[in-house]
Amino acid sequence: MLQAALEAGTAGRRSVFELFPRRLPEGRRYGVVAGVGRALDALERFRFDDEVLEVLEDVVDAPTRDWLAAYRFTGDVWGYPEGEAYFAYSPLLVVEASFAEAVLLETLMLSIYNHDSAIASAASRMTMAAGGRPCIEMGSRRTHEEAAVAAARAAYIAGFATSSNLAARQRYGVPTAGTSAHSFTLLHDTESDAFRAQVQSLGRGTTLLVDTYDIAEAVRLGVEIAGAELGAVRIDSGDLGALAHQVRAQLDTLGATNTRIIVTSDLDEFAIAGLAAAPVDGYGVGTELVTGSGHPTCGFVYKLVARADAAGTMVGVAKRSKDKPSIGGRKYALRRRSAAGVAEAEVIGVGEVPGDDGNDRSLLVPLVRDGSVVGHEPLDDARARHLASRAELPLASQQLSRGEQVIPTLHV
């Protein structure tokens, strides 16, 4: 496309691309935006160096390679800030630049937004189901090594307390936590030897894995070795609800009333909700989180919605196919809210900013201005934004059962 547009003389036409979902994943009531910070980092690094251009020798012609060699994004980008809730047709990213500059960003932006938002959307449902109990991200072994780092970051934005992924700590400052594996217990001649080694090295506040052999015996040994100051025990198999009740009673009898119970084992938001009445103090979540709990992508698309005509006037353009239409014209968005501050609709203005009755909230913020990134922010700001955005949604958003999006999308 770039080569043909350069040859045709249309590559420099001013254009507006938008990244948006045509619908929420089936059964979901809201989605969560994540990956904004990663996308901005990627945009700043997006270059075509000599090594890349050499690979392209058999792909595009010399004039196109010369253009790519000098590529720098010089346009403007607006978008929903990270942690914000989104709905069908929410214009999550609005890119205004020449066609040539903007079209090259399609795969880069979609790959980041589709993955990270899928993880954050699943994580939000999990942390909501968990109530005030912390969730630990433990999915690194269940996905691509780089996706694992991005997933830990996205999960933290959507309310997870910590991650077992140390690369996420290094790159993004995500708090980390973890426990020992069964292999550590099996390494030692006895379970007692394993627990003693762990407590001696890591202190009485450590978390002991108690389901390698017999749970009741392991709990007894753990308290015998660490005393009532034992930090936590982890249960990774069996009927987690019933076992949590049994272990809680045993810990209390042994005087370890402050020892916490952490449960793991293929948890998702439904399993977490099912454990609400159990004496569980935290959840370790892996496979279901990093695969989006059944929805590993959000189905975002990146479409040209406006471009300059031969006279330089901006005109709306749209795909008109029967099954996958788009809506032409640059979009603006606000969250319509009631007098009580409860979200009522996602209002999308086509070509102009929607009217604000004084209690609504504008959703698009500047991310890139004249090629310079202006949208970087601390990760904890995105985390706080998510909690606030989720809190303003109607109560129906808290239902885990399948349903339609919790507020309508209105085009005006």
Side-chain angles (χ1 to χ4, degrees):
M1 288 191 292
L2 173 63
Q3 178 175 309
L6 287 170
E7 187 172 346
T10 53
R13 283 187 174 180
R14 197 68 179 170
S15 300
V16 179
F17 281 82
E18 290 174 357
L19 184 152
F20 62 91
R22 289 192 175 93
R23 63 190 66 84
L24 292 179
E26 187 177 357
R28 291 285 173 86
R29 298 173 185 266
Y30 68 96
V32 179
V33 181
V36 179
R38 290 208 312 121
L40 294 177
D41 289 342
L43 179 60
E44 289 181 314
R45 299 190 303 266
F46 195 54
R47 301 288 186 271
F48 294 83
D49 58 22
D50 291 342
E51 185 177 355
V52 171
L53 293 171
E54 184 178 350
V55 175
L56 294 178
E57 285 186 0
D58 296 329
V59 179
V60 293
D61 61 21
T64 304
R65 294 198 303 276
D66 290 341
W67 190 93
L68 290 171
Y71 178 82
R72 300 291 186 275
F73 183 78
T74 63
D76 299 321
V77 180
W78 296 263
Y80 279 40
E82 201 151 24
E84 183 63 75
Y86 76 84
F87 300 91
Y89 287 99
S90 294
L92 305 186
L93 203 64
V94 179
V95 180
E96 185 172 349
S98 69
F99 176 85
E101 288 186 34
V103 74
L104 289 181
L105 300 181
E106 179 172 0
T107 299
L108 180 68
M109 295 295 113
L110 284 176
S111 63
I112 294 173
Y113 270 73
N114 267 312
H115 173 267
D116 289 24
S117 297
I119 305 307
S121 297
S124 179
R125 288 161 59 87
M126 293 171 182
T127 54
M128 186 161 54
R133 299 171 178 177
C135 292
I136 308 167
E137 187 280 312
M138 303 175 71
S140 294
R141 294 170 294 174
R142 299 292 188 262
T143 188
H144 183 278
E145 66 270 19
E146 287 299 322
V149 185
R153 181 186 182 280
Y156 182 67
I157 288 170
F160 270 61
T162 54
S163 170
S164 64
N165 189 296
L166 291 171
R169 180 189 184 99
Q170 176 193 21
R171 297 184 196 178
Y172 304 115
V174 175
T176 49
T179 67
S180 60
H182 293 101
S183 59
F184 182 78
T185 300
L186 295 171
L187 167 69
H188 294 82
D189 294 334
T190 67
E191 192 169 44
S192 178
D193 289 344
F195 286 177
R196 190 170 288 106
Q198 184 172 333
V199 171
Q200 183 173 343
S201 177
L202 300 175
R204 297 175 185 271
T206 192
T207 299
L208 298 177
L209 179 59
V210 295
D211 72 331
T212 306
Y213 304 116
D214 179 83
I215 292 177
E217 176 61 13
V219 171
R220 186 192 68 78
L221 282 172
V223 176
E224 178 183 293
I225 293 167
E229 297 80 20
L230 175 62
V233 295
R234 175 163 75 102
I235 308 170
D236 187 51
S237 59
D239 185 334
L240 298 177
L243 288 170
H245 281 286
Q246 294 171 14
V247 169
R248 181 75 270 158
Q250 185 181 7
L251 287 169
D252 291 347
T253 299
L254 294 170
T257 55
N258 292 323
T259 299
R260 296 171 295 117
I261 298 174
I262 307 298
V263 296
T264 55
S265 186
D266 293 328
L267 298 177
D268 61 10
E269 60 266 46
F270 305 105
I272 292 170
L275 291 166
V280 171
D281 298 289
Y283 307 92
V285 190
T287 302
E288 292 299 323
L289 174 67
V290 299
T291 57
S293 193
H295 296 292
T297 182
C298 298
F300 296 153
V301 295
Y302 184 86
K303 298 297 180 184
L304 180 68
V305 297
R307 51 90 173 168
D309 61 16
T313 302
M314 294 298 292
V315 295
V317 294
K319 182 180 177 182
R320 299 300 186 191
S321 62
K322 179 179 178 180
D323 297 327
K324 296 181 178 180
S326 58
I327 299 172
R330 189 201 193 281
K331 313 303 187 304
Y332 301 85
L334 62 78
R335 185 81 30 86
R336 179 169 294 164
R337 300 189 294 182
S338 70
V342 178
E344 294 182 325
E346 191 84 340
V347 182
I348 311 300
V350 182
E352 61 182 12
V353 179
D356 182 348
D357 65 7
N359 192 48
D360 300 332
R361 188 162 60 83
S362 180
L363 295 169
L364 290 168
V365 300
L367 299 176
V368 181
R369 185 177 293 119
D370 296 329
S372 297
V373 172
V374 297
H376 283 309
E377 65 176 359
L379 205 58
D380 281 339
D381 287 1
R383 181 178 170 87
R385 179 181 298 109
H386 171 64
L387 292 177
S389 178
R390 188 174 70 181
E392 77 177 9
L393 297 179
L395 283 176
S397 66
Q398 299 179 24
Q399 298 176 2
L400 296 179
S401 57
R402 298 169 69 84
E404 300 300 318
Q405 66 178 44
V406 72
I407 58 174
T409 299
L410 307 177
H411 286 90
V412 297

